[in-house]
């Protein structure tokens, strides 16, 4: 039963951001087919940020009308919306209509808004539900959340979307002296191994699997057996900051509070909750806000301008490998946990440096440095992931 619950928690976690991550890794193919072309990442970034009204609404409802919204019901609604939006996207992504006389991908943009509402709202609904389960399943959920970026990236790599090659094409030109043959290089996009329809159908299947996992996860009787620790949910939400006292007594440490013992395991001390000073909490929140702004807003919106000058292959690799960076980092953090604020600050500075390089390349586009060098491709693809 425990192994089954871990599997369900992992599959449930994959549905948190799989739809939006799937859109990002499919961009190298979408930009070659849709009228927005290389401006499409900027459109998607704005729409995804607009979808934050979803978690804002849920938060305000919990604050001013507590108990009115039930996490289970909300999760069913957003997951069903995600399944329907993914299914419609598979068949309607190429549909365009004129807006102010200019053709736009109206179906893709509208459905992206609904998918963004699903993924953004999952951040404030999935975790409260997982807090009602035993704490060990929360780690498995985060593994699944990391896989929501890794799996679409691997599928896109197998699809080979947006990869191009340069072909020398001859043309006959009429002139006063007669017909002349000229040669010029043209970009030819290589056909993908499977279509965008198949890709979005795979995303739909993953959303259906997430919905089914939640259905069975919410109906397992054993995972609902909560201990007395349920009275103190903050000890679960801050689980990643917990420390076990050296004496194992579970009693007062510096800034900590004793945690109640699990009724099912008498005599076993639970981890002690650690509280941080206000200055450190502000520092942590500023780091989170800064890194989130880079990874979710700034860098994705200029990704086409920073990567396009180096070719479609570089853009394809940067879009897919950057989605793989988050789950890989989560896996590394599981085996090498680091809670040092100095380390967090150093990593943030390093990521900011790579982000600044990406912004500088975007500003210099379409003629950035190392454009005709293989090192330029390596640096821009490598520098896209660290933030």
């Amino acid at each position: 039963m425990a192994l089954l619950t871990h599997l369900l928690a992992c599959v449930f976690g994959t549905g948190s951001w799989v739809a939006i991550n799937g859109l990002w890794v499919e961009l190298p193919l979408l930009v070659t087919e849709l009228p927005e072309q290389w401006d499409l990442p900027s459109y998607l970034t704005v729409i995804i940020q607009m979808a934050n009204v979803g978690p804002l609404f849920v938060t305000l409802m919990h604050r001013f009308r507590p108990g009115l919204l039930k996490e289970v019901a909300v999760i069913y609604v957003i997951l069903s919306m995600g399944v329907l939006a993914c299914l419609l996207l598979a068949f309607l992504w190429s549909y365009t209509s004129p807006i102010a006389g200019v053709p736009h991908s109206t179906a893709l943009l509208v459905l992206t808004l609904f998918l963004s509402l699903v993924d953004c709202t999952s951040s404030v609904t999935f975790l409260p539900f997982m807090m009602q389960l035993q704490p060990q399943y929360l780690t498995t959920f985060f593994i699944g959340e990391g896989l929501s970026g890794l799996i679409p990236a691997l599928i896109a790599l197998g699809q080979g979307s947006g990869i191009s090659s340069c072909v020398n094409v001859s043309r006959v030109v009429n002139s006063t002296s007669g017909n002349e043959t000229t040669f010029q290089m043209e970009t030819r996009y290589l056909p993908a191994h499977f279509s965008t329809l198949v890709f979005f159908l795979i995303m739909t299947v993953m959303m259906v699997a997430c919905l089914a996992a939640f259905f069975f996860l919410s109906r397992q009787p054993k995972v609902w057996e909560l201990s007395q620790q349920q009275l103190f949910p903050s000890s679960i939400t801050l689980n990643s900051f917990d420390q076990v006292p050296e004496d194992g007594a579970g009693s007062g440490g510096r800034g900590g509070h004793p945690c109640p013992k699990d009724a099912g395991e008498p005599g076993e001390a639970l981890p002690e909750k650690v509280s941080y000073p206000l200055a450190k909490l502000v520092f942590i929140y500023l780091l989170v806000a800064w890194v989130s702004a880079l990874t979710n807003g700034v860098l994705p919106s200029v990704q086409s301008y920073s990567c396009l000058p180096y070719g479609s292959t570089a853009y394809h690799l940067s879009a897919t490998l950057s989605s793989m960076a988050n789950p890989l980092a989560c896996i590394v953090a599981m085996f090498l946990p680091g809670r040092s604020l100095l380390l967090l600050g150093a990593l943030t500075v390093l990521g900011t440096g790579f982000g600044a390089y990406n912004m500088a390349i975007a500003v210099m586009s379409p003629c950035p440095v190392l454009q005709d060098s293989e090192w330029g491709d390596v640096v821009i693809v490598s520098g896209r992931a660290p933030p």
Side-chain angles (χ1 to χ4, degrees):
M1 180 64 72
L3 180 61
L4 176 61
T5 305
H6 278 292
L7 178 61
L8 292 175
C10 183
V11 176
F12 178 54
T14 58
S16 55
W17 285 93
V18 68
I20 296 303
N21 287 328
L23 272 175
W24 283 120
V25 298
E26 193 69 0
L27 272 181
L29 193 148
L30 297 178
V31 295
T32 64
E33 303 288 340
L34 299 178
E36 289 83 4
Q37 296 184 342
W38 297 104
D39 290 333
L40 186 59
S42 300
Y43 283 93
L44 294 184
T45 299
V46 173
I47 291 174
I48 292 171
Q49 299 309 314
M50 289 172 56
N52 282 304
V53 298
L56 178 61
F57 171 76
V58 173
T59 303
L60 292 177
M61 289 297 292
H62 282 306
R63 174 63 179 84
F64 296 105
R65 300 292 299 273
L68 183 62
L69 289 181
K70 304 298 182 182
E71 277 79 12
V72 173
V74 174
I75 292 174
Y76 272 123
V77 170
I78 64 174
L79 287 181
S80 301
M81 183 191 303
V83 171
L84 181 60
C86 275
L87 183 61
L88 292 176
L89 190 62
F91 296 96
L92 301 177
W93 68 270
S94 59
Y95 176 80
T96 61
S97 61
I99 299 179
V102 179
H104 283 283
S105 310
T106 49
L108 175 71
L109 298 179
V110 171
L111 291 174
T112 297
L113 177 62
F114 284 100
L115 290 176
S116 303
L117 284 171
V118 172
D119 291 358
C120 292
T121 310
S122 70
S123 301
V124 294
T125 54
F126 285 16
L127 281 179
F129 169 77
M130 291 302 301
M131 284 170 54
Q132 300 178 65
L133 312 183
Q134 298 297 330
Q136 65 266 23
Y137 300 125
L138 193 61
T139 303
T140 310
F141 169 81
F142 284 126
I143 294 175
E145 193 174 56
L147 292 176
S148 68
L150 178 61
I151 294 177
L154 293 177
I155 296 174
L157 283 176
Q159 183 187 24
S161 59
I163 298 179
S164 65
S165 62
C166 294
V167 180
N168 196 2
V169 179
S170 62
R171 295 183 181 276
V172 177
V173 180
N174 295 325
S175 63
T176 56
S177 59
N179 294 335
E180 296 181 359
T181 302
T182 61
F183 296 90
Q184 64 182 23
M185 301 297 292
E186 286 188 355
T187 301
R188 296 283 179 86
Y189 288 96
L190 303 179
H193 296 149
F194 52 87
S195 65
T196 302
L197 169 65
V198 175
F199 180 86
F200 284 130
L201 286 179
I202 295 175
M203 297 298 103
T204 304
V205 171
M206 294 186 64
M207 289 299 299
V208 171
C210 174
L211 179 59
F214 174 70
F215 176 81
F216 291 107
L217 192 63
S218 61
R219 279 162 174 74
Q220 291 196 61
K222 287 190 177 181
V223 298
W224 291 98
E225 295 175 2
L226 304 179
S227 64
Q228 294 178 2
Q229 187 177 351
Q230 179 71 15
L231 298 176
F232 303 91
S234 59
S235 63
I236 300 178
T237 57
L238 298 179
N239 188 55
S240 59
F241 296 99
D242 289 344
Q243 297 178 356
V244 179
E246 294 182 358
D247 58 5
S251 58
R254 195 175 102 191
H257 304 280
C259 294
K261 295 181 179 180
D262 194 327
E265 300 181 10
E268 180 181 350
L270 293 173
E272 180 184 4
K273 186 184 70 174
V274 176
S275 59
Y276 286 95
L278 179 61
K280 290 186 177 180
L281 286 176
V282 171
F283 177 70
I284 293 173
Y285 277 113
L286 288 177
L287 289 185
V288 172
W290 176 248
V291 173
S292 298
L294 285 180
T295 56
N296 298 324
V298 178
L299 296 183
S301 62
V302 300
Q303 179 173 299
S304 56
Y305 298 99
S306 60
C307 301
L308 176 61
Y310 298 97
S312 298
T313 302
Y315 183 87
H316 170 71
L317 292 176
S318 64
T320 52
L321 295 180
S322 61
S323 295
M324 299 172 63
N326 180 39
L328 291 178
C330 293
I331 294 174
V332 172
M334 287 180 59
F335 296 99
L336 299 174
R339 301 185 179 120
S340 169
L341 295 184
L342 180 62
L343 176 62
L344 292 178
L347 291 176
T348 302
V349 171
L350 178 64
T352 302
F354 283 104
Y357 178 80
N358 277 265
M359 289 298 298
I361 294 299
V363 171
M364 290 185 286
S365 181
C367 301
V369 296
L370 301 176
Q371 184 177 15
D372 299 323
S373 171
E374 292 182 356
W375 285 106
D377 298 1
V378 173
V379 173
I380 196 63
V381 172
S382 303
R384 184 63 184 89

